[in-house]
Amino acid sequence: MQIEDSVALVTGAGRGLGTEWVRQLHERGARKIYAAVRDTSRPTLPGAELIEIDVTDQNTVTRAAAAAADVTLLVNNAGITSHSRFLDTDLAAVRQQFETNFFGPLSLALAFAPILGGNGGGGIVNVLTALAWFAYEGEGPYAASKAAA
């Protein structure tokens, strides 16, 4: 995928790896970068346009797809962990990890695939982890949700 002159959307762009994705895309000549965050009033990311997306909320995904109809590269980076073991955690925490780490990227891919196709193709990058292949104590639900993705 050609980064130069691309139009990218990065989820989870407000911190950590997401911020680095934005920085790297900017350095490599992306024409436009949408930095997808849950709260657009907080972060400022040089070279990026903030866009509100909560990957677990289909309404924000749908609005973002309508607002960012020029995207040619989707980076599904948003993710969470509860740092817990399956049998020592609340089922709601496990469900939230699957909503964010599996259903979130799937929802974004479904929303943006027609846009990517309409813009002549493009790419989808799903940011996973080596924990998708194995788990260690304290990361079982996270590992399972990333493996599902």
Side-chain angles (χ1 to χ4, degrees):
M1 163 98 208
Q2 178 78 21
I3 299 300
E4 190 172 349
D5 290 326
S6 66
V7 178
L9 185 144
V10 179
T11 66
R15 62 189 180 97
L17 283 175
T19 300
E20 185 62 18
W21 273 101
V22 170
R23 190 178 76 71
Q24 291 292 328
L25 288 163
H26 183 69
E27 278 186 15
R28 285 163 172 69
R31 179 169 29 98
K32 186 177 195 180
I33 304 164
Y34 294 100
V37 295
R38 284 180 289 186
D39 180 4
T40 57
S41 68
R42 283 189 33 224
T44 57
L45 298 163
E49 179 180 322
L50 295 180
I51 189 166
E52 180 188 0
I53 299 179
D54 175 342
V55 301
T56 67
D57 178 351
Q58 187 60 46
N59 291 327
T60 66
V61 170
T62 300
R63 282 195 304 270
D70 52 347
V71 166
T72 60
L73 173 62
L74 169 64
V75 179
N76 276 320
N77 170 72
I80 62 167
T81 180
S82 62
H83 301 292
S84 61
R85 299 177 347 176
F86 273 112
L87 299 180
D88 293 336
T89 191
D90 175 34
L91 187 57
V94 175
R95 289 183 192 279
Q96 188 63 31
Q97 286 174 91
F98 271 85
E99 286 295 328
T100 303
N101 301 341
F102 172 71
F103 290 109
L106 178 58
S107 176
L108 269 289
L110 291 170
F112 278 91
I115 292 169
L116 295 172
N119 291 334
I124 299 174
V125 175
N126 291 320
V127 178
L128 300 175
T129 174
L131 291 177
W133 298 307
F134 66 89
Y136 67 88
E137 188 172 348
E139 293 296 344
Y142 175 75
S145 69
K146 288 295 195 169

